[in-house]
Structure formats: C-alpha cells, structure tokens
Amino acid sequence: MNQKDKFQYYTFLALIFWVPIPLGSNHPWSWSIIEIVVFLLLSIHLCFAIKNKNDIFKKLSPYKYLLIGFLIVQCWLILQYMPLPSSILYTLSPNLADVYQYFPNEWRTFSLDPSETRVASYKGLAYFCIMILSILLITSETRLKQLLTVIVLSGTFQAVYGSLQAMSSNELSWIFELHNSTIATGGFIYKNHFANFLLLCLSMGIGLLVASLNNRSADTARKKLRNIVSTLIGGKAVIRIALALMVIGLVMSRSRMGNAAFFIAMTITGIFAFIYFKKRNKNLTILLISLFIIDTFILGAWFGLDKVKSRIEQTSLAQENRDEVNVYGLELIKKYPLIGTGAGSFYAVFSMVKGDDITLFYDHAHNDYLQFSIEYGLPMTLLLAALVLASLRQAIYTLRNRHNNLMKGTAFGCMMAIIGMLIHITVDFNLQAPANAVYFVLILTLAWQSRFLLRHKHRN
C-alpha cells in the first residue's frame, strides 16, 4: 500500500465515521463536506490511475449493472432541472401545462422546484462517487474488515452519545445546543433517522460477528461448551458489547418501526442463513438466540422497551395523519406518473393536493416509496427498486455459494440492512437523510462486493 493510496483509503474511512456526526449531515454545510471530499478523493484516484496506467474499468466491470443503473438515475435528476421547450414538457407531462399556464417563458423544467432538484442531484452524484470509491479502495479482506469495524464504531459512538444525552436531563444537547429530551437522537435531529442509522450499523456489526464464528465442529462436551462461551463473549467481546450498546440506543430512540424493522430483519436473515449456509453450525443459532434474549429482554427491560411497546399499542389511525398524506400523495403520482415533480420538491408540491384535514406542515411524505414515486416518477423509482433488489440478490448468492467467512458475514449484514430499510421506509423518510443514504448506498455496494471481491483469487 503506497502513501497516496493510504491517504485516500484512510480519508474515506474517516469520512464514513464523520457523516452522521453533524446532525446526520442533513444541513447544506454538512452535506457539502461529503460532496467536496468524495469528489476530490475520486478525482485524485482517477488522476493517479491514469498516470500509472491502471485499468479502472476492469475493476468496475463486475459492478457495471449497479453503476450504470445508478448513473441513469443521476442523469435523470439533471434532466429534471434543465430548461426545456414547453412542447417537450407538455408532451411527456401534460399536467405541467396547468402549472405553467400563467408563466410566459417558453423554456421550463420538469421539476417544479428546480433549485432543490439541483441540490438533490449533487447529493446523488456524491453517493455515486461513494459507490465507486468503495469498489476501488476496498480491495482486500483486511480493508473490508476495517470498513465494517468503522461502521460498527460509528454506530456505537452515536448510540452511546445519544443514550447518555437522553439520560442527562439537560434542556439542550451537548453539541449544537438543540432541544434535548429523554428520547435518544444521537447526532441526528429526528429520532427515526437515528434509529434507522443504528439499524444499518447493527446489521453490519452482526455480519462482522457472523464472519468471526468458528465453523469447526466440536467432538466433546468440553469443546462444545468452549465454542458456546466463545460465541457469546470470547474474542468477539468488543463487537458484542458494541452491539449491546447500539441496541440500547435503538430502544431509547422509542422508534416503533425502527425497533420492529430491526428484529424482523434479523429474524428473516437469521432463518435464511441457518437454512442455506453450506457449513451450518450451532454457533450461528446460539448467536442469534443470544441477540434476542440478552438484547431484547434484558437490555430492553432496563432501557425502555416497555415504552416502545406502549407507543405501539397506543398508536391508532385516528391519531396519525400519515395515511391521509399517502392518499393525497397518490394524487400527485396520478398527475405526474412518468416525469415526477422533481427530486426534493415534495414540500412545495404537496400543498397543491392536500385537503383541509391536513393541518400540519409536511416537508416529507413519511414514506420513501411514495416520495420517490412523486418526485422521480414511476419509471425511475422502479429502476431504483430494481437496483436495491439486485443488491439483495447478490447478498443471497454469497450466503448460498461462497465459502469465505468474511464475505458471508458481510452478505449477512447487507441482507439484514436492506430488509430492515425496506420495512422502515414504509412509514418514514430515512433515505432523505444524507447520513442514512450514504450508509445505505455503501451497504448496497458491499452486497455486490461480498460476491465479487477476491472471487478469482480464492475461487470461492
């Protein structure tokens, strides 16, 4: 590893750790840091690759479908805010004529909020660069393990900070001096973004723990007992403690769907792994059972799982406006099914269709499926869904066919994270938070890398 490569690699790891700290990077100055760093990192890497005549395209070739699909979406966002002749706009999206009829300008945009769409396109390009950087920089088992460790450390830091701050009884948060309560939010403003972030980090942490499980069979009672103890504590004690701390943070977030999505995703992935692991071992079962028993019933009882349960029981459709938001949001999809209203435009266009029964201000749809369909249009939303499902398929392939423990553990974490995210975004807008989006894009890429990384070298 030369010095230039070291600089790029460790800067990338530092960025991954930094992303959630400044309020989930959900402010212009903080997401601008992400954009500047990744654009510079990729530019530097490409310059040295050209100078050293490295074949970048060969490295990216196994991931071409993921990268091309994501690039198409980014090109679409740019097209959304480009001024175009009215004849083209009205042909593809006739209802735009009702919006623009009072404006004399002949050059208009598909997006009804082009400035916000431009911002969204910059974010999207940054996410695309993170995909490429992950492929180009994470090139060995050592680096992959270090990246997973950074993700676990990041989640642990957020969980500890969020939990301590929630228990501090301070009126203002320790950083940025925001309003503080007994609900943990970590470096985020919104508790559900915090819970979703921990869900992603917990998933990859469990994957890292799965990768370290001992596959050797025990032929004596003593060895079996030693394996059980090693699975629960052993040399993996630090990771296990980190997972416990993140579960505490997740429970203290009081996020109903965040907690539900985590345990549902862990159950589904655990059952799948137990069935399809070619070298099935009891240690995996012991690990998953310990996560349920120790984390749910012991840590949860101490740190507020009963309060989460109470919130779920008290939830009723009569108290929630989100179902009405979904109904009105569908009207926007009917009006702009192909083109969408422009990325980032929901807060501006929702007022066009909402009824008098919606008294609150909604800047997001509280359902990412709905929001992407409204803003991006159905074709691009379906393409994004296909990319996510393709990444899930890569993780499943790795779990079923590869023998490398680290790759299988990574695939386990990716599968769990993807399932958890797909569940959680049915009631929230987690992908609108840059920190969560960065980690999810990275996880999608790692799902592909778990299949293709070092495949030819180890033939697994």
Side-chain angles (χ1 to χ4, degrees):
M1 188 190 301
N2 58 52
Q3 292 299 320
K4 299 182 181 68
D5 189 63
K6 276 186 178 181
F7 169 77
Q8 298 166 42
Y9 170 63
Y10 287 115
T11 302
F12 181 71
L13 293 184
L15 177 68
I16 297 304
F17 186 85
W18 160 263
V19 162
I21 293 175
L23 303 177
S25 291
N26 204 13
H27 285 268
W29 67 269
S30 53
W31 71 58
S32 296
I33 292 175
I34 300 174
E35 294 166 2
I36 292 170
V37 172
V38 297
F39 293 155
L40 284 175
L41 275 181
L42 186 57
S43 299
I44 292 170
H45 192 93
L46 292 177
C47 287
F48 283 115
I50 294 171
K51 180 181 179 180
N52 298 325
K53 298 181 180 179
N54 294 335
D55 191 351
I56 295 291
F57 292 104
K58 185 178 180 180
K59 293 180 181 179
L60 299 178
S61 179
Y63 312 92
K64 58 181 178 293
Y65 296 115
L66 175 68
L67 296 175
I68 291 172
F70 207 82
L71 183 60
I72 289 172
V73 175
Q74 305 319 309
C75 291
W76 172 243
L77 296 191
I78 294 173
L79 182 63
Q80 278 190 319
Y81 66 79
M82 286 182 59
L84 296 170
S86 301
S87 57
I88 296 177
L89 264 65
Y90 299 158
T91 300
L92 296 176
S93 186
N95 283 308
L96 282 175
D98 297 334
V99 178
Y100 286 126
Q101 62 179 319
Y102 302 107
F103 299 91
N105 192 351
E106 290 298 318
W107 292 79
R108 293 151 185 166
T109 63
F110 285 128
S111 173
L112 295 176
D113 194 342
S115 60
E116 285 298 321
T117 303
R118 184 181 292 106
V119 170
S121 73
Y122 295 157
K123 291 180 187 176
L125 288 173
Y127 303 154
F128 181 66
C129 290
I130 287 172
M131 279 185 169
I132 297 176
L133 286 168
S134 178
I135 295 168
L136 297 178
L137 295 175
I138 309 302
T139 54
S140 66
E141 286 192 29
T142 300
R143 288 191 171 193
L144 176 57
K145 192 171 183 179
Q146 288 174 344
L147 174 60
L148 295 178
T149 302
V150 168
I151 292 174
V152 173
L153 290 175
S154 178
T156 305
F157 174 79
Q158 289 296 319
V160 171
Y161 171 69
S163 300
L164 292 177
Q165 185 171 262
M167 293 186 292
S168 69
S169 301
N170 290 345
E171 293 184 3
L172 300 177
S173 63
W174 296 329
I175 302 176
F176 300 114
E177 295 188 344
L178 300 173
H179 174 71
N180 186 39
S181 70
T182 57
I183 297 176
T185 58
F188 297 77
I189 297 177
Y190 186 40
K191 65 179 182 180
N192 287 316
H193 288 170
F194 171 67
N196 183 261
F197 179 79
L198 291 184
L199 184 157
L200 298 179
C201 295
L202 271 164
S203 299
M204 302 313 295
I206 294 173
L208 188 58
L209 205 56
V210 168
S212 66
L213 291 178
N214 183 6
N215 287 327
R216 291 174 294 181
S217 59
D219 51 5
T220 66
R222 184 176 181 180
K223 288 182 178 179
K224 289 180 180 179
L225 180 61
R226 186 185 302 166
N227 283 347
I228 291 174
V229 174
S230 177
T231 299
L232 295 177
I233 49 177
K236 303 94 179 176
V238 175
I239 301 175
R240 194 64 191 84
I241 292 171
L243 294 181
L245 292 172
M246 282 191 276
V247 169
I248 292 173
L250 179 60
V251 171
M252 292 191 67
S253 73
R254 309 287 190 263
S255 172
R256 293 162 292 183
M257 188 56 81
N259 281 272
F262 168 67
F263 288 108
I264 293 171
M266 184 170 62
T267 302
I268 294 173
T269 309
I271 293 173
F272 181 91
F274 180 76
I275 294 173
Y276 287 105
F277 264 15
K278 286 193 173 182
K279 290 185 178 180
R280 189 185 310 169
N281 65 68
K282 294 181 181 179
N283 291 342
L284 175 63
T285 306
I286 294 169
L287 170 63
L288 294 176
I289 291 175
S290 77
L291 287 169
F292 275 112
I293 295 176
I294 297 175
D295 296 345
T296 306
F297 295 106
I298 299 178
L299 299 177
W302 286 347
F303 291 95
L305 191 61
D306 57 325
K307 296 180 181 179
V308 177
K309 180 182 177 183
S310 177
R311 284 201 70 218
I312 294 174
E313 291 173 346
Q314 294 172 7
T315 299
S316 68
L317 291 178
Q319 295 173 320
E320 295 282 347
N321 284 328
R322 296 182 190 181
D323 52 329
E324 284 87 357
V325 174
N326 292 342
V327 172
Y328 292 126
L330 291 174
E331 292 297 318
L332 289 169
I333 297 177
K334 292 177 182 178
K335 286 187 174 184
Y336 310 99
L338 296 178
I339 306 304
T341 62
S345 66
F346 179 84
Y347 83 98
V349 300
F350 183 63
S351 59
M352 296 164 50
V353 295
K354 73 173 184 177
D356 295 334
D357 53 334
I358 302 293
T359 57
L360 299 175
F361 175 76
Y362 282 87
D363 54 352
H364 294 288
H366 287 270
N367 181 325
D368 270 330
Y369 297 106
L370 179 66
Q371 184 155 344
F372 275 100
S373 298
I374 291 170
E375 295 181 348
Y376 288 60
L378 291 176
M380 286 301 120
T381 302
L382 290 174
L383 176 57
L384 283 172
L387 294 175
V388 173
L389 293 178
S391 300
L392 180 60
R393 182 175 178 273
Q394 303 302 329
I396 292 173
Y397 178 91
T398 300
L399 285 172
R400 297 186 64 175
N401 297 286
R402 291 199 72 172
H403 304 298
N404 184 298
N405 286 340
L406 181 57
M407 301 307 164
K408 290 171 80 72
T410 301
F412 185 101
C414 291
M415 181 177 177
M416 182 176 164
I418 292 170
I419 293 173
M421 179 65 83
L422 292 178
I423 294 172
H424 200 180
I425 62 174
T426 58
V427 295
D428 259 304
F429 51 101
N430 298 303
L431 291 175
Q432 309 303 321
N436 299 51
V438 165
Y439 272 57
F440 190 59
V441 165
L442 182 60
I443 287 169
L444 295 181
T445 312
L446 289 175
W448 288 71
Q449 289 180 274
S450 71
R451 175 174 179 177
F452 294 109
L453 184 62
L454 306 177
R455 182 183 57 180
H456 300 296
K457 182 177 179 180
H458 296 289
R459 295 181 182 179
N460 53 9

